[in-house]
């Protein structure tokens, strides 16, 4: 997982650098980035390492809010559709994107809730359930946090704490797991 929040438009470049560094340890099956600007959230995804991503998308957008993911496939095939970020929906409308590090071991028990037939990952299912919670609670900053806490507890029951980052079209960002501490220590939030 990679996240940057800046005030000088360099968040995208910082996320690319973080993903390159992370690939030295693990990952590299596919790469995806989402960034926020005045038009909302934009997403790019490709198969392969960051070098493949940069060859396909050589421009570096200026943005102050960006998240990225270099996927090591554990659930679901190595496809562009299965790469993170995944969409977050509320009442059938996309309201943001999310990335996830970890494996939800009990995801098969919740398959009946899957709505994204293209993305077969535990992450896509997780955020389908999150969207259903938003449908129930309503989409506002407090309810987004409530739904995320509920989702984190559901997933942690079988898999332990998961690292999740969500970015919404209105610019709100939410974290779970160790992610928030890591990014606060890195002075990126």
């Amino acid at each position: 997982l990679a996240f940057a929040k800046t005030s000088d438009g360099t968040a995208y470049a910082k996320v690319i650098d973080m993903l390159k560094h992370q690939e030295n340890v693990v990952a590299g099956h596919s790469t995806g980035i989402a960034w926020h600007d005045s038009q909302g959230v934009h997403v790019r995804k490709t198969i392969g390492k960051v070098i493949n991503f940069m060859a396909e998308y050589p421009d570096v957008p200026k943005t102050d809010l960006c998240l990225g993911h270099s996927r090591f496939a554990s659930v679901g095939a190595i496809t562009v559709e299965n790469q993170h970020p995944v969409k977050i929906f509320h009442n059938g409308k996309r309201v943001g994107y999310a990335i996830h590090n970890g494996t939800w071991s009990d995801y098969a028990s919740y398959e009946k809730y899957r709505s994204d037939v293209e993305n077969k990952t535990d992450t896509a299912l997780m955020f389908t359930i999150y969207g259903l919670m938003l449908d129930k609670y309503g989409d506002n900053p407090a309810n987004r946090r409530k739904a995320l806490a509920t989702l984190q507890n559901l997933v942690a029951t079988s898999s332990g704490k998961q690292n999740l980052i969500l970015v919404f079209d209105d610019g709100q960002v939410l974290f779970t797991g160790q992610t928030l501490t890591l990014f606060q220590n890195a002075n990126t939030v």
Side-chain angles (χ1 to χ4, degrees):
L1 301 175
F3 174 78
K5 186 174 183 182
T6 65
S7 59
D8 61 359
T10 61
Y12 190 99
K14 288 178 187 281
V15 165
I16 290 289
D17 288 343
M18 285 185 256
L19 291 176
K20 285 179 185 175
H21 176 73
Q22 290 170 12
E23 281 183 353
N24 292 329
V25 179
V26 70
H29 288 151
S30 52
T31 304
I33 292 182
W35 71 98
H36 182 271
D37 64 19
S38 62
Q39 305 298 310
V41 180
H42 311 275
V43 173
R44 294 176 173 172
K45 301 178 185 185
T46 194
I47 299 296
K49 294 182 178 267
V50 175
I51 193 165
N52 304 89
F53 183 89
M54 292 306 297
E56 189 169 337
Y57 303 108
D59 65 307
V60 178
K62 287 229 177 248
T63 183
D64 289 328
L65 181 61
C66 187
L67 59 88
H69 189 272
S70 183
R71 181 171 183 251
F72 181 80
S74 59
V75 175
I78 301 168
T79 65
V80 171
E81 294 79 18
N82 284 350
Q83 173 54 25
H84 309 189
V86 299
K87 297 172 186 173
I88 301 170
F89 288 95
H90 167 59
N91 289 330
K93 179 183 175 229
R94 183 188 53 80
V95 295
Y97 289 90
I99 56 178
H100 161 236
N101 236 13
T103 300
W104 182 17
S105 60
D106 195 30
Y107 79 95
S109 300
Y110 296 89
E111 280 292 338
K112 66 183 178 184
Y113 298 107
R114 185 179 298 279
S115 62
D116 186 343
V117 295
E118 292 178 3
N119 189 320
K120 300 294 187 194
T121 65
D122 55 340
T123 304
L125 179 58
M126 191 180 298
F127 288 103
T128 296
I129 292 169
Y130 179 82
L132 293 172
M133 290 179 202
L134 287 183
D135 292 348
K136 178 181 177 181
Y137 302 147
D139 183 24
N140 63 54
N143 286 342
R144 289 173 180 172
R145 287 189 292 279
K146 177 181 176 182
L148 187 56
T150 303
L151 178 67
Q152 182 70 6
N153 289 335
L154 172 75
V155 174
T157 300
S158 65
S159 306
K161 290 213 176 227
Q162 304 285 302
N163 293 316
L164 310 169
I165 305 174
L166 298 74
V167 61
F168 293 88
D169 289 354
D170 62 9
Q172 183 183 14
V173 179
L174 298 175
F175 301 90
T176 68
Q178 297 177 328
T179 308
L180 181 58
T181 303
L182 293 171
F183 292 125
Q184 285 175 330
N185 290 341
N187 294 317
T188 57
V189 173

